[in-house]
Amino acid sequence: VLADSDYGNKAEFRDRLDEIGLQYAVAVQKTTMVRRVQGTGKRREVGERQSVEDLAFELDPKDIRKVSWREGT
């Protein structure tokens, strides 16, 4: 699922996509609050809430990649 920030900023929307097992890439504002999730199943670890901007500065630059797509209709 691809979505703009009108959807991406809504935790309920992202949570529902997770619940039904869909992978997604959504635009978000830098102030959007998220949790970093690592692992799966019983080994899944969920971090504390933090802004996307704060999370971005914690990542190793080699782990960041730019994703772009054309304008939609």
Side-chain angles (χ1 to χ4, degrees), residues 17-58:
L17 293 175
D18 281 335
E19 287 172 11
I20 61 177
L22 293 177
Q23 293 183 345
Y24 58 89
V26 296
V28 293
Q29 294 174 322
K30 66 182 180 180
T31 56
T32 299
M33 299 301 286
V34 296
R35 295 178 192 266
R36 187 173 190 173
V37 178
Q38 295 178 310
T40 59
K42 291 182 179 181
R43 296 184 179 183
R44 183 178 178 179
E45 294 180 22
V46 179
E48 296 296 317
R49 285 174 41 99
Q50 64 187 129
S51 71
V52 169
E53 181 178 36
D54 289 343
L55 175 60
F57 282 109
E58 288 180 8

Side-chain angles (χ1 to χ4, degrees), residues 3-10 14 26-29 32 69:
D4 63 21
S5 61
D6 285 342
Y7 289 100
N9 288 330
K10 295 178 176 76
R14 298 187 318 268
V26 296
V28 293
Q29 294 174 322
T32 299
W69 52 84

Side-chain angles (χ1 to χ4, degrees), residues 25 61-69:
K62 69 177 176 56
D63 293 331
I64 298 173
R65 65 182 169 150
K66 182 177 183 178
V67 177
S68 60
W69 52 84

